[in-house]
Amino acid sequence: MKHIETIKALCEHDGLSIAQLAAQTGNSVPTVTKYLNELLQKGWITVAGKATGTHGRKPSIYRLCGHTAYFLGVDPKHNSLSLALMDLCGNVVAEYEESILFQNTPEMIEVICTKCEKFLNESCIPKDRVQCVAFNISGRVNPANGQSYSIFNFENNEDALSDTLSDRLGIKTLIDNDTRLMAYGEMKTAIKGKYRDFLFINVGWGIGLSIIIDGKLYSGSDGFSGEFGHTSVYNNEVMCHCGKKGCLETEVGGRAICNHLQKRIAQGETSSLKSKAAQGATLDEGDIINAALHDDMLSIDVIETAGYELGRQIANLINLFNPQAVIIGGSLQAAGDIFIEPIKIAVRRYSLRLISQNVAIIPSELAGRSGSIGACFKARDFFLNE
């Protein structure tokens, strides 16, 4: 589409003049003027008034009409589902979150797709204006071929997961790694322009890593970069769900802290969660975080221990990548300083001071919204590039 560079430039700026668009796109002023007139006729842009603070004749400012295209972001987590709908301008127009226990089954795909359809219907946005959907998928994902190699990878289905989802929803659908899209959501909104080299650590039921270098997501040659949780760092003989022993996830992350807390309760330690565990109820990281925030000392201890262990490994990443910042996201972020401060202590202890002294270690600003919003931006990128 010949107008695409003009649309992309307007996506990144809240209004531009013809001269500014010419500078942004590399096109001549007459060419930009021609494209703008065509986009005005098609209803993609509008004249948003005149520029301020200039001498002489004030140029017109052009902006996108957000309602011309919409994008759906879908973020299935361990115990919840988050959805977001974004317009062409990058404004989130609707959001939804529901507690739901994730299961790696074909039936779960149908459940998620049905909830997506209900969400879109209730948003009152015409379906033909929803141009693209992006799904966050945990584990190994190759966004280029639309294949997932961890979840929703069933023996009797030879189709790429992205094709299966596209057929089911009737809208072009793509997939990418959940941690990568969480980092992308953060990069496009909360920290836009603030950091160009940073690491995003997703600490939820498992652990993921997203690497941003010079303002761009690093995916690796096959899209599999960031499997931080499956680095072998312990000689603990604990079998990880990936099938190997000693992974970081066996000691750190939601699954690990739940195992540690339940084991220590069984050994006789006291906790406000003792009665729930004794009844055979399955604890999740949310239970432990909530207990810790209400001064349950055992819950505080397992979270602090996990934070310190994670910080030791983040120190290694800092020594390797020399980032400007490390952003902590995922469900364990909700524990606040109980989790973040031990990370900082371990980083100071185990990283090289010259490399780490200027590194900001901060929680995600978008928190639980980062994945669905990042997916929206990913879907918009695909629409603009395709």
Side-chain angles (χ1 to χ4, degrees):
M1 182 179 177
K2 59 188 178 182
H3 310 94
I4 198 63
E5 293 303 324
T6 300
I7 294 174
K8 284 182 177 180
L10 290 171
C11 279
E12 296 299 322
H13 299 85
D14 185 24
L16 293 171
S17 67
I18 291 176
Q20 289 170 328
L21 279 165
Q24 288 284 329
T25 63
N27 292 320
S28 66
V29 167
T31 298
V32 169
T33 303
K34 176 176 179 290
Y35 289 168
L36 286 174
N37 287 332
E38 292 172 355
L39 289 169
L40 280 166
Q41 290 176 1
K42 293 178 179 180
W44 282 80
I45 65 171
T46 186
V47 179
K50 299 288 186 177
T52 59
T54 59
H55 299 289
R57 184 179 178 183
K58 293 179 172 55
S60 295
I61 297 297
Y62 298 86
R63 287 196 179 110
L64 286 174
C65 294
H67 64 268
T68 53
Y70 293 87
F71 310 93
L72 175 63
V74 184
D75 186 19
K77 305 168 191 172
H78 170 64
N79 53 14
S80 66
L81 172 67
S82 296
L83 305 174
L85 189 63
M86 190 182 79
D87 68 15
L88 183 62
C89 294
N91 302 309
V92 177
V93 298
E95 291 184 85
Y96 174 80
E97 184 164 9
E98 177 183 348
S99 295
I100 183 172
L101 183 61
F102 179 84
Q103 295 177 318
N104 186 24
T105 64
E107 291 75 19
M108 180 56 62
I109 294 178
E110 179 60 28
V111 167
I112 293 171
C113 288
T114 299
K115 291 185 182 296
C116 288
E117 290 173 330
K118 183 173 183 287
F119 173 65
L120 290 176
N121 288 337
E122 292 178 350
S123 73
C124 298
I125 301 298
K127 187 175 179 179
D128 61 358
R129 291 197 179 182
V130 182
Q131 301 293 338
C132 188
V133 180
F135 268 68
N136 289 10
I137 302 294
S138 63
R140 271 71 69 199
V141 177
N142 188 330
N145 63 17
Q147 292 278 10
S148 170
Y149 300 90
S150 297
I151 68 168
F152 297 151
N153 182 21
F154 309 118
E155 292 182 3
N156 60 347
N157 187 3
E158 297 180 357
D159 295 332
L161 178 58
S162 59
D163 292 338
T164 299
L165 294 168
S166 295
D167 292 343
R168 172 59 184 81
L169 291 171
I171 307 170
K172 175 62 184 178
T173 302
L174 54 95
I175 65 172
D176 206 335
N177 174 264
D178 58 345
T179 304
R180 203 146 49 225
L181 292 186
M182 290 170 73
Y184 198 49
E186 204 79 19
M187 183 172 72
K188 297 290 284 186
T189 57
I191 62 166
K192 187 174 183 179
K194 188 174 182 180
Y195 303 119
R196 293 189 60 80
D197 296 280
F198 68 92
L199 304 174
F200 185 97
I201 314 290
N202 173 21
V203 194
W205 196 236
I207 303 171
L209 165 69
S210 186
I211 305 161
I212 290 79
I213 300 173
D214 194 25
K216 297 175 183 175
L217 289 170
Y218 177 75
S219 299
S221 60
D222 296 312
F224 301 148
S225 71
E227 287 296 335
F228 185 38
H230 299 293
T231 50
S232 182
V233 294
Y234 298 112
N235 188 27
N236 58 11
E237 292 300 307
V238 176
M239 183 69 73
C240 181
H241 68 96
C242 73
K244 299 186 183 299
K245 294 180 179 180
C247 293
L248 178 60
E249 283 190 16
T250 63
E251 298 290 344
V252 179
R255 181 185 286 106
I257 68 168
C258 288
N259 290 339
H260 289 320
L261 185 128
Q262 288 175 311
K263 182 179 179 180
R264 290 175 64 173
I265 288 176
Q267 292 172 344
E269 294 192 52
T270 301
S271 168
S272 60
L273 295 171
K274 187 171 184 176
S275 59
K276 185 174 182 179
Q279 294 169 5
T282 300
L283 299 177
D284 63 27
E285 67 269 36
D287 295 320
I288 299 175
I289 291 168
N290 185 58
L293 293 174
H294 287 85
D295 299 325
D296 180 72
M297 295 310 297
L298 182 56
S299 297
I300 290 172
D301 189 53
V302 296
I303 291 173
E304 286 182 339
T305 300
Y308 189 83
E309 286 297 310
L310 179 63
R312 290 180 60 194
Q313 305 309 318
I314 290 175
N316 292 330
L317 294 178
I318 289 172
N319 289 344
L320 285 171
F321 289 101
N322 187 26
Q324 295 171 291
V326 176
I327 299 175
I328 309 297
S331 57
L332 259 70
Q333 175 197 342
D337 287 343
I338 297 172
F339 187 58
I340 302 292
E341 285 304 313
I343 292 174
K344 293 179 179 179
I345 291 170
V347 165
R348 286 196 295 269
R349 181 166 294 175
Y350 293 103
S351 63
L352 296 173
R353 183 177 178 278
L354 183 64
I355 299 175
S356 66
Q357 62 184 347
N358 295 320
V359 178
I361 300 175
I362 53 178
S364 161
E365 288 191 31
L366 292 179
R369 303 170 64 225
S370 60
S372 56
I373 291 175
C376 286
F377 278 107
K378 183 73 172 181
R380 189 182 73 166
D381 286 353
F382 180 87
F383 170 72
L384 294 174
N385 290 324
E386 294 297 319

